[in-house]
Amino acid sequence: MENTRSQFSMLKQICELIPGHLVPKLAREYGVEKKCRTFDSWSHVVSLIYSQLAHSLSLNDVSDTLRNHSGVLTTIRKAVCPARNTLSYANMHRNSEMAEALFWNVLDSLQAQFPKFGYSHGYCGIPKKFKKTINAIDSTTIKLFTNCIDWAKHRRRKAGIKCHVSLNLQTFLPNIIIIREAKNHDSTYARELCANLHDGEIVVWDKAYNDFKHLNDLNGRGVFWVNRAKDNMTYDIVREVNPASGKIIRDVAIRFNGHQSASKYSGEIRLIEAWVEVKEKEVKMTFITNNFEWAASSISKLYKARWGIEVFFKQIKQNLQIADFLGYNENAVRWQIWIAMLVYVLLRFIQYSSNWKKPFSRLFTLLRGVLWSCIDLFALVKRYGTADVPLKMPATPDQAYLPGFFP
């Protein structure tokens, strides 16, 4: 480890990826600076970043550990350790919109300085023939406790929030994130999630986001969409687009014949019914799209690429701390989720800069174990990320011999 030594802690090197002027600027913009005394906004952000990286389970966990390392913490732009009640009060009362703005500003800053950031991710599920941006849209539910959460109740004995995401599958980075109560239907946020889509781009989603009026608007904007057909959809077949072959059962153009659906979408829609392999089993699925030029098999593969957003949700839920919350006030929950997304982007940037080829979870656990150690961040990641032949335990132990006895 001689060549990986550094004069700064690992936590400091990660936090220094955030531009120095950004947090004070946002604190003034969102009125957070007025509520700060000794525990300023930068110290608040550092405390929550540490809680994510260390998987802290409670306010005492964060407060006590930072107090034990207060000397090292001071080197991180003079951050100070919080008392338990101070951190709790900050999470509850400081405007969580600042955390949201911090996430987007850091992401924009990194992408502006490094235009290729994200494109080296290499998600293998994208069909190679598509050159336009492919956006996958879906939501994931984060469960909360009903006995202490009133603002997020959506069932008699359940509470939770939904994180709606528009994910660029080429970069594997989010374009839009909407955090709302779980009681609202997914289609409610379809327009917001598609607000930034441009002519020629592709959006893929599940049938929960189907809104025929919105699909008609996307068609008018030149945005191509692919999604699953609803089971109760009624329509008339206008013509056959391509004859059935292979795993394609039928490929036809349709028009809605229902009064409401026809008034919302009056043009033709392409309907494709095909056999799709799901968990090593052939399942019949029906897709609809506004594109009549792509091959039916390509549309089927394009929808299959939507699984990438499920991989994204798996990464953030299994590695980041968004299952156990430091506070159950709505503002505190939003602070924790947005800082978790910030940590995800910082780790993805480290992954990009060091050409890390191994799983994201292994990078997270590697850094979590050395947060307070003075080790060069990128030297450590490159050293462990590029080893071609890892050490392996032998399947059976070598034969041992007593002194004086040989085979």
Side-chain angles (χ1 to χ4, degrees):
M1 297 289 287
E2 294 296 331
N3 60 339
T4 62
R5 292 295 176 188
S6 171
Q7 58 179 325
F8 302 120
S9 67
M10 185 66 67
L11 180 61
K12 174 180 172 64
Q13 294 174 72
I14 295 173
C15 292
E16 291 287 347
L17 296 175
I18 302 174
H21 70 283
L22 193 53
V23 173
K25 173 189 171 184
L26 294 175
R28 292 191 297 270
E29 183 177 340
Y30 288 92
V32 174
E33 188 182 51
K34 298 177 181 179
K35 299 182 179 181
C36 299
R37 293 183 182 178
T38 56
F39 186 55
D40 60 8
S41 55
W42 173 247
S43 300
H44 186 198
V45 170
V46 172
S47 299
L48 293 180
I49 289 176
Y50 167 76
S51 72
Q52 289 293 329
L53 292 170
H55 267 209
S56 301
L57 299 177
S58 66
L59 293 166
N60 284 329
D61 188 356
V62 179
S63 179
D64 294 345
T65 306
L66 293 180
R67 185 179 296 109
N68 291 335
H69 296 88
S70 58
V72 181
L73 189 64
T74 306
T75 65
I76 308 175
R77 299 177 188 167
K78 298 182 180 180
V80 298
C81 55
R84 177 193 179 281
N85 290 341
T86 302
L87 180 58
S88 175
Y89 186 87
N91 289 340
M92 292 175 62
H93 294 91
R94 294 182 182 179
N95 191 352
S96 60
E97 291 181 5
M98 174 189 161
E100 180 179 356
L102 177 61
F103 166 76
W104 292 116
N105 276 271
V106 170
L107 179 57
D108 292 343
S109 175
L110 292 175
Q111 288 182 319
Q113 295 179 62
F114 305 90
K116 294 184 179 180
F117 169 44
Y119 286 97
S120 61
H121 183 271
Y123 175 61
C124 60
I126 303 176
K128 295 182 179 179
K129 64 183 294 183
F130 291 96
K131 304 302 180 184
K132 291 288 186 178
T133 302
I134 303 173
N135 302 278
I137 291 179
D138 206 348
S139 67
T140 185
T141 302
I142 301 172
K143 295 180 181 179
L144 302 171
F145 293 102
T146 54
N147 58 352
C148 54
I149 303 263
D150 292 327
W151 57 271
K153 280 188 177 180
H154 69 107
R155 299 279 178 83
R156 188 168 64 90
R157 294 184 178 180
K158 290 184 179 181
I161 55 176
K162 273 189 178 180
C163 185
H164 303 264
V165 177
S166 174
L167 183 73
N168 184 330
L169 291 180
Q170 277 90 344
T171 63
F172 226 65
L173 293 170
N175 296 320
I176 296 178
I177 299 176
I178 300 174
I179 300 172
R180 296 288 188 274
E181 300 85 352
K183 63 183 179 180
N184 296 324
H185 195 269
D186 289 350
S187 61
T188 308
Y189 306 105
R191 290 183 179 275
E192 291 182 62
L193 292 167
C194 296
N196 297 334
L197 297 183
H198 302 290
D199 184 11
E201 291 191 11
I202 304 166
V203 59
V204 187
W205 49 31
D206 204 353
K207 54 187 173 183
Y209 287 92
N210 272 359
D211 179 351
F212 296 138
K213 188 175 182 180
H214 179 225
L215 294 180
N216 190 50
D217 293 343
L218 289 177
N219 187 51
R221 289 165 51 188
V223 176
F224 297 120
W225 44 264
V226 176
N227 55 354
R228 291 272 300 279
K230 290 183 177 180
D231 298 332
N232 60 349
M233 196 171 67
T234 58
Y235 54 86
D236 295 322
I237 297 177
V238 179
R239 57 188 170 87
E240 184 179 59
V241 179
N242 291 306
S245 63
K247 294 185 177 182
I248 306 302
I249 301 172
R250 59 173 176 162
D251 183 1
V252 296
I254 64 169
R255 284 183 184 273
F256 294 129
N257 56 20
H259 175 70
Q260 291 188 354
S261 55
S263 63
K264 294 177 181 178
Y265 200 110
S266 57
E268 292 185 359
I269 289 179
R270 186 179 180 185
L271 182 144
I272 297 169
E273 194 172 356
W275 291 103
V276 180
E277 185 177 345
V278 179
K279 296 181 180 180
E280 300 181 353
K281 293 182 179 180
E282 294 288 336
V283 179
K284 185 164 63 174
M285 291 187 179
T286 305
F287 310 108
I288 55 174
T289 180
N290 63 335
N291 188 289
F292 288 83
E293 297 179 359
W294 298 332
S297 58
S298 298
I299 292 174
S300 178
K301 292 177 182 177
L302 193 60
Y303 183 82
K304 193 175 181 179
R306 191 196 67 84
W307 186 254
I309 197 169
E310 303 294 347
V311 176
F312 170 78
F313 288 145
K314 180 180 178 181
Q315 285 184 350
I316 63 174
K317 295 181 86 169
Q318 289 189 352
N319 295 287
L320 302 174
Q321 190 67 322
I322 54 176
D324 298 299
F325 288 89
L326 302 179
Y328 291 102
N329 167 273
E330 180 178 2
N331 199 67
V333 170
R334 292 182 184 277
W335 262 104
Q336 189 163 334
I337 293 176
W338 282 113
I339 295 298
M341 298 306 303
L342 173 64
V343 170
Y344 174 79
V345 167
L346 295 178
L347 294 184
R348 281 290 311 281
F349 178 73
I350 295 170
Q351 185 180 27
Y352 159 76
S353 301
S354 58
N355 198 28
W356 176 270
K357 300 298 184 183
K358 292 181 172 57
F360 177 83
S361 58
R362 186 171 176 185
L363 173 65
F364 185 89
T365 53
L366 173 65
L367 299 180
R368 186 178 64 178
V370 291
L371 283 178
W372 300 108
S373 301
C374 293
I375 302 173
D376 184 80
L377 170 60
F378 293 103
L380 175 70
V381 176
K382 285 181 179 179
R383 177 169 180 171
Y384 284 91
T386 57
D388 295 326
V389 185
L391 295 176
K392 295 183 179 180
M393 293 293 292
T396 57
D398 294 332
Q399 180 67 51
Y401 298 99
L402 295 174
F405 293 87
F406 299 97

